[in-house]
Amino acid sequence: MNIELIKGDITKIEADAIVNAANSSLLGGGGVDGAIHRAGGKKILDECIEIRNRQGKCKTGEAVVTTGGNLPAKYVIHTVGPVWNGNEEKGSKLLANCYINSLKLAESLDVKIIAFPNISTGIYRFPKELAAKIAIDEVKDFTSEIIEKVIFVCFDDENEKIYRKLLEE
Ligand code: ADP
């Protein structure tokens, strides 16, 4: 899989799927979640509500899919990152699961291009350097016959610098 780094707004990205850093309620929130629901429109929330009615909340580390609504992307993969609580081992495993489960779900949907935000590094306060390392390691370890490109979309300068450095190593 090719890896690309883009600084900007994930709602503008032309990919088959973009990933949302959702919360377990799946009913929208702040940060990237709010931006995706605002730009993607009501169809995304309607499908999130359907999923909730079917399976209840989405557990941390797991992923579900909805339409991309009005977004350029066909699908939104909603994954729930861990809230940082200082437990590095447990948090790292859960964050890794977000990337793995999103990639597996993307494969099942025949997604060729997928874009990730920097999951858990906003409101959920996960240390950015550690989160970036986990994201890059998991994507590099994931071999796929289906997914051709993974785009890391960094919104803030600090994450962009961290990703650029790690990807150049
Ligand atoms: P979490 O609750 O998982 O921490 P946030 O949405 O608060 O989720 O933050 C996750 C990351 O998404 C942060 O690095 C934040 O800068 C970034 N972000 C916020 N808005 C956007 C956007 N429109 N596109 C891409 N990334 C965004």
Side-chain angles (χ1 to χ4, degrees):
M1 300 192 298
N2 284 318
I3 296 180
E4 197 179 313
L5 173 62
I6 291 180
K7 173 136 194 297
D9 179 351
I10 201 164
T11 66
K12 305 276 200 301
I13 299 288
E14 311 242 350
D16 301 306
I18 64 165
V19 177
N20 180 18
N23 60 55
S24 62
S25 80
L26 295 175
L27 300 182
V32 69
D33 195 4
I36 287 172
H37 280 282
R38 271 193 306 279
K42 192 174 168 290
K43 269 196 91 186
I44 298 178
L45 184 62
D46 287 345
E47 289 191 16
C48 283
I49 292 168
E50 269 176 41
I51 294 166
R52 279 236 17 185
N53 291 341
R54 208 165 53 229
Q55 67 159 55
K57 288 186 178 184
C58 184
K59 290 193 190 120
T60 305
E62 293 184 359
V64 298
V65 64
T66 66
T67 173
N70 303 327
L71 298 170
K74 185 170 178 197
Y75 301 111
V76 176
I77 293 177
H78 305 259
T79 187
V80 181
V83 179
W84 178 255
N85 64 3
N87 186 337
E88 181 170 336
E89 197 183 331
K90 192 160 174 226
S92 299
K93 182 89 192 81
L94 288 168
L95 186 60
N97 286 344
C98 289
Y99 286 90
I100 296 165
N101 288 325
S102 297
L103 290 167
K104 283 187 185 159
L105 185 53
E107 276 196 320
S108 76
L109 298 162
D110 207 28
V111 160
K112 308 262 180 271
I113 304 176
I114 180 170
F116 282 98
N118 309 135
I119 301 165
S120 282
T121 67
I123 300 158
Y124 284 1
R125 303 182 320 273
F126 207 98
K128 288 181 179 171
E129 183 101 32
L130 179 59
K133 203 177 168 310
I134 292 165
I136 292 169
D137 284 351
E138 292 308 324
V139 165
K140 282 190 172 166
D141 283 352
F142 194 91
T143 48
S144 179
E145 304 270 291
I146 294 161
I147 302 169
E148 290 164 8
K149 183 156 83 176
V150 175
I151 306 169
F152 288 116
V153 183
C154 297
F155 195 63
D156 55 274
D157 292 336
E158 198 187 346
N159 265 316
E160 197 228 4
K161 267 196 201 123
I162 292 168
Y163 271 79
R164 197 163 296 289
K165 189 182 106 227
L166 290 174
L167 288 169
E168 275 166 9
E169 275 173 5

